[in-house]
Amino acid sequence: MIRALASLFFYATFYSRFSASGLERRRRQWQPYTEDLTGQTWLITGASGGLGRAIALAANARGATVLAAARSADKLDVLRREATAPARLVPLAFDLSLVRAVRALAAEVAARPAPVTVLVNNVGVLLNDFTRTGEGLEASFATNLLGHLVLTEALRDANALDPAGAVVNMSSGGMYGAKLDLAALTRADAAGWDGMAAYAQHKRAQVELARAWNTAWKGAPKAYAMHPGWADTEGVRTSLPWFRAALKARLRTTEQGADTALWLGTTRPPPDPEGGIWLDRVRDAEHEFGFTRGGADAASLRDLLRKTAARIG
Ligand SMILES: NC(=O)c1ccc[n+]([C@@H]2O[C@H](COP(=O)([O-])OP(=O)(O)OC[C@H]3O[C@@H](n4cnc5c(N)ncnc54)[C@H](OP(=O)(O)O)[C@@H]3O)[C@@H](O)[C@H]2O)c1
């Protein structure tokens, strides 16, 4: 009962910003941007569905070569056929939850002639049940956080990220309900595990990871954390059916949810990357409630993730 009331309070707090209403209000201030992305390379995780698909199709339509990564080769094949320029859409089937598969993907991307201009760390799963990957890690932690850390850092170490480009972490408003807690983040036992709480930790951690990368890389490339708002996707349909049923009429389209990622990756001059979480081309505060402040710091988080990945040989 308390949990249901807390959820109700949470969603009521953010409704006017995260639903289609928030987008409709903020886009009145937008300036058109028409950057031609010819010559750029975009790597998008989770490109075969939901927001990733919308980002991939839009970047491809504007001239970019899109490296589209997701598990299902069949879905990626459908995506390629839907693209404006299929010859510039490269399907990369891989499983982000497996560190070894992520390293292999990074090596494949690094071997390409052009570096990645914009990397969108987009995959995110909200799992209801505790599951372990074949490498022994809790699956949503491995997918949402560790896989993206390994991919991003392997690409940067291989000089495969354009220093003038951008890394965009697709976080979520779910992070407003979590204080970063490294023990909770790496909890590996099923007893009492809560998929929603785990997801909120991962999404908070993505904001801190952007900060850690900006500190370590000094803006080459720039890292951003963003929130897409509430968009009608397969992920929402599967993980939050009650939420979708309640808000269906006011959810955003995938194209609307994708807008901020495209804008962060293309707008010139690029926005200052320091801090905040971007929504509808505006930098929002990282905290809404006092109880989420004072969590683990960005450098400790990055260190923990690097050590966790290093244990998987
Ligand atoms: N939709 C929203 O309202 C909303 C709100 C806040 C934040 N977000 C965030 O936005 C991001 C995208 O959400 P979405 O709703 O578009 O998700 P979605 O509809 O569930 O799409 C997920 C995509 O990720 C791929 N994927 C899933 N697991 C994977 C894995 N292990 N390895 C590689 N690819 C994998 C899926 O393709 P395959 O199955 O073929 O792998 C699919 O292309 C997430 O980070 C989510 O947290 C979404």
Side-chain angles (χ1 to χ4, degrees), residues 46-52 69-72 75 94-97 122-125 143 170-173 199 203 227-231 233-236:
S48 64
L51 302 171
R71 285 170 304 188
S72 162
K75 284 201 268 174
F94 89 121
D95 187 341
L96 183 64
S97 73
N122 167 71
V123 173
V125 293
T143 307
M170 187 67 78
S171 179
S172 162
Y199 175 84
K203 294 296 165 180
H227 174 32
W230 294 334
T233 65
E234 185 57 36
V236 168

Side-chain angles (χ1 to χ4, degrees), residues 131-200:
T131 320
R132 274 188 211 284
T133 68
E135 294 172 337
L137 298 170
E138 189 283 309
S140 65
F141 164 76
T143 307
N144 297 347
L145 201 53
L146 193 67
H148 283 136
L149 175 287
V150 172
L151 177 63
T152 308
E153 300 219 347
L155 290 174
R156 183 149 191 295
D157 289 349
N159 294 321
L161 290 183
D162 181 344
V167 173
V168 179
N169 285 348
M170 187 67 78
S171 179
S172 162
M175 68 107 196
Y176 282 122
K179 171 177 176 173
L180 186 61
D181 176 344
L182 299 188
L185 200 65
T186 48
R187 218 177 122 181
D189 58 298
W193 184 80
D194 177 336
M196 184 75 95
Y199 175 84

Side-chain angles (χ1 to χ4, degrees), residues 146-293:
L146 193 67
H148 283 136
L149 175 287
V150 172
L151 177 63
T152 308
E153 300 219 347
L155 290 174
R156 183 149 191 295
D157 289 349
N159 294 321
L161 290 183
D162 181 344
V167 173
V168 179
N169 285 348
M170 187 67 78
S171 179
S172 162
M175 68 107 196
Y176 282 122
K179 171 177 176 173
L180 186 61
D181 176 344
L182 299 188
L185 200 65
T186 48
R187 218 177 122 181
D189 58 298
W193 184 80
D194 177 336
M196 184 75 95
Y199 175 84
Q201 282 291 331
H202 307 152
K203 294 296 165 180
R204 170 66 67 189
Q206 284 184 300
V207 178
E208 291 300 327
L209 258 190
R211 190 191 328 283
W213 286 333
N214 284 321
T215 304
W217 303 342
K218 301 182 172 38
K222 295 176 170 49
Y224 303 96
M226 67 159 283
H227 174 32
W230 294 334
D232 194 6
T233 65
E234 185 57 36
V236 168
R237 284 192 279 278
T238 311
S239 301
L240 298 169
W242 51 270
F243 170 79
R244 180 175 186 261
L247 286 174
K248 188 174 176 330
R250 295 308 291 153
L251 293 178
R252 299 165 180 227
T253 64
T254 53
E255 289 75 16
Q256 290 170 339
D259 174 82
T260 297
L262 285 154
W263 181 82
L264 284 169
T266 57
T267 195
R268 292 293 174 266
D272 171 3
E274 285 306 318
I277 175 164
W278 291 83
L279 171 68
D280 296 333
R281 309 186 195 177
V282 173
R283 187 200 313 270
D284 279 342
E286 291 178 10
H287 297 274
E288 282 284 329
F289 311 113
F291 74 89
T292 65
R293 293 180 188 276

